[in-house]
Amino acid sequence: MPRPKAVTDDASAKQFLDAAAQLIDAMFVTSPDERPRRLSSIDFPATLEWLRKEDVVRLARDGGQPGVSRKSFDNRWESKEDFVNDAVIHTMLYRDAPNANPALQLADMASLTEAENVAQAIAQFCDAMLASLLSYPRSFLLLHIGPLLEQHPKLKAAIVEDMLRALAPWYEGYAKLFAAFGVRMRPGWTIERYGLTIQSMLDGFLLRSRVQDEQMEACSSDDASLFADAVVAFTLGVIDTSESSGLTSREALNAGVGPAPGVERLRSLPKAVD
């Protein structure tokens, strides 16, 4: 009698898949020391391990510029890790393509103060920013290496330093925008906190736009993306309006929504006596 065909959803298959899940979890620990001892013999790939020196040198030679050789490469970087660190920063800051740097869109932020429909202007600005990032594959670089940065403290420190430097003019732009419209932020909110939240939202929407592109498109409105509408809604939640001056975002929500139907009735019921 022939042996039954092996399947990928039986008990044995589950053992293999469970083992793979353990290895995947171990890949993304904050430090190699956190990996179980039984996995210490496994050679986990380094960040951007596929970025080979041979390919870099060959591609650089194709540019036709003098002074490009393996020896000249080795004279500049003692280790591959040093080169990868510099390459990541170089790429993230668009030093090879300065005209493509999304930071150039900062100039468009000033025009928002002249818009008759402020919400629509903000939505269009956000959509332009997201579209710009989606057009450059390197926008996904941080999402690719981010979970592994704790294992590379030198690279993480360099990335964070450059990110803070790059975000500074954006924070300044947000502050000028708020001042131009004469609005203030709710208690507990600062320009830095607002800007970091917008950046975090952008990172998340960037990933979802690649993974769930059809759903993201379906959830867009007629004249704005889901990201743009989310930024408008978030901004509305953190600016202090005259009707609720001095309230935090959570206090304003409580004041506007109130308890759910039936909650007050439940609160008024006599408590059970022990």
Side-chain angles (χ1 to χ4, degrees):
M1 183 176 180
R3 178 179 298 180
K5 182 180 179 180
V7 295
T8 58
D9 58 356
D10 61 2
S12 295
K14 185 177 184 302
Q15 294 298 316
F16 292 124
L17 296 173
D18 287 352
Q22 293 181 51
L23 292 173
I24 291 173
D25 274 342
M27 176 68 186
F28 294 104
V29 295
T30 55
S31 169
D33 296 335
E34 296 180 14
R35 289 174 182 145
R37 183 172 299 178
R38 66 181 184 279
L39 303 181
S40 59
S41 62
I42 297 178
D43 183 22
F44 288 88
T47 303
L48 296 180
E49 185 179 35
W50 55 266
L51 191 63
R52 300 190 309 164
K53 181 194 304 185
E54 294 78 9
D55 295 330
V56 171
V57 172
R58 177 179 55 79
L59 192 60
R61 280 175 174 167
D62 291 345
Q65 297 296 322
V68 176
S69 66
R70 186 182 181 106
K71 181 178 180 180
S72 62
F73 181 100
D74 292 335
N75 287 339
R76 286 161 175 78
W77 291 281
E78 294 184 0
S79 68
K80 179 181 176 180
E81 182 178 3
D82 290 337
F83 172 74
V84 169
N85 289 357
D86 287 350
V88 167
I89 298 298
H90 184 85
T91 305
M92 289 183 63
L93 296 183
Y94 290 80
R95 289 173 179 164
D96 62 318
N99 292 332
N101 194 333
L104 296 176
Q105 296 196 30
L106 266 170
D108 297 332
M109 188 181 293
S111 64
L112 297 181
T113 60
E114 303 172 1
E116 294 183 6
N117 186 328
V118 179
Q120 184 63 25
I122 292 176
Q124 291 175 351
F125 178 81
C126 290
D127 279 344
M129 173 61 70
L130 182 60
S132 174
L133 291 173
L134 286 171
S135 67
Y136 291 97
R138 70 183 59 188
S139 300
F140 296 92
L141 176 58
L142 186 59
L143 297 174
H144 176 63
I145 67 174
L148 301 174
L149 285 180
E150 286 293 339
Q151 302 174 27
H152 304 275
K154 182 179 178 181
L155 177 58
K156 179 183 177 181
I159 287 178
V160 171
E161 180 181 352
D162 279 297
M163 285 176 63
L164 292 176
R165 187 182 299 116
L167 286 173
W170 285 97
Y171 292 166
E172 183 179 350
Y174 295 142
K176 290 181 178 179
L177 194 61
F178 276 55
F181 286 112
V183 296
R184 58 182 180 179
M185 310 193 83
R186 292 189 182 279
W189 281 96
T190 63
I191 288 297
E192 290 75 19
R193 197 176 185 215
Y194 175 83
L196 182 58
T197 303
I198 294 292
Q199 183 61 53
S200 300
M201 292 172 65
L202 182 57
D203 291 340
F205 274 94
L206 189 66
L207 175 62
R208 292 294 175 179
S209 295
R210 174 65 70 89
V211 178
Q212 295 178 271
D213 53 328
E214 293 183 0
Q215 292 91 333
M216 294 291 285
E217 181 65 28
C219 288
S220 297
S221 59
D222 292 338
D223 55 356
S225 69
L226 181 60
F227 170 62
D229 278 339
V231 170
V232 171
F234 164 65
T235 302
L236 180 62
V238 300
I239 60 174
D240 203 354
T241 60
S242 57
E243 292 81 5
S244 54
S245 180
L247 297 180
T248 67
S249 299
R250 281 170 283 179
E251 290 170 343
L253 178 62
N254 290 336
V257 176
V263 171
E264 290 299 328
R265 183 181 63 82
L266 292 175
R267 289 175 178 172
S268 64
L269 293 176
K271 296 182 179 179
V273 179
D274 294 335

